[in-house]
Amino acid sequence: MKSFKNSLCVLFLFLFLATCSEAAEVKLRFAGQFPEDHSATKFMYEIADGVKAKTGGRVEIEVFPANKLGDYTIIYEDLMRGAVDMALISVPSQFDPRLELVYLNAFANYDVLKKEFQPGSWLSKKMNEYNTRLGVKFLGFNIEGLTGIASKKAVRKPLDPNVNKGVLTRVPFMNVYKSAAEAQGYRTIALPYSDIARSMQDGTCDAVSSISTGAALADLGGIMKYWYQLNYSQETESYLMSAKSWDKLSEEDLKVIYAEVAKASAKSIEQAQQNDKRNLEQMKKNGVQVFTYSETELLPLRRAVMENWKQLEPAMGVQLMNEARKHFPIKEK
């Protein structure tokens, strides 16, 4: 019996040591703003699983979706302080207006997105530069889709920037969105995203700009009567890491994290393109009047938006805006 007890103790000790050896050496908290079933949240879990597998369980990432750790402005401050390790969020611009560069509304199609939102692109380098100055490292982009105008009223001559569109349009609290919408002839009102459905219903606004097809279907279904696929911006979030967390990781572990984020980012663009096609068809089935346009038809709007960039120069800087003009030139068809 004594021999059996000794053997049993040895077995339990072996199991305890084996469990300890498998415990993660590094644990990271990964904050997100979307619900559990959202595609962006699913990408977060894929990244966490991929990193755990590639590091042999040494690096464990715990995902906190649905603003469980706070909204995107709070999370960004937590990244700066090191209270949160990683995040997939919209980038607030109150700490540096140049962070609005990612929302500059210069992108016309998915081929352009695949080029400009890939690792190492001019846009990626700029976003890393400006985030790094705030104590945050930029890891990559998540693309939700190209944007348009969801409206309960018909828009007047949507392709002519010189015509008053006849609708009061909600824009986010960022200068790039206000500038782009007004350049196209829209009167604007800045409202929180959480209020868009109620605001359209009660007449606070007639339309919502800079919204993806998926968000319009999910949040404005039954309210919007018209959809204008203008493609003058893209709905995007950024994968970010606290510089304090970044400094604690080995180069090998950082390479793994960057690789998993890059994989998820590329998948998001492919998925967004497929979702846009499916969502437009669903809108039509729901009785929404859908208007799509060629790149040639959209050129006057794109030209007007870029000409209006001069309004952004005081906050964004003349040098940066001149770089953007050179990097995103108007290409006549």
Side-chain angles (χ1 to χ4, degrees), residues 39-48 142 239 264 267-268 271:
S39 60
T41 304
K42 293 176 182 177
F43 285 136
M44 292 172 69
Y45 282 114
E46 288 182 14
I47 290 169
N142 181 73
Y239 289 100
K267 286 178 65 176
S268 77
Q271 180 173 290

Side-chain angles (χ1 to χ4, degrees), residues 249-261:
L249 293 169
S250 68
E251 288 188 17
E252 292 75 16
D253 290 341
L254 285 171
K255 287 180 181 178
V256 170
I257 292 172
Y258 271 107
E260 291 302 310
V261 168

Side-chain angles (χ1 to χ4, degrees), residues 169-187:
T169 304
R170 177 266 176 184
V171 295
F173 291 93
M174 290 187 184
N175 289 331
V176 292
Y177 290 118
K178 177 179 173 65
S179 171
E182 292 179 353
Q184 298 174 73
Y186 293 92
R187 291 183 299 117

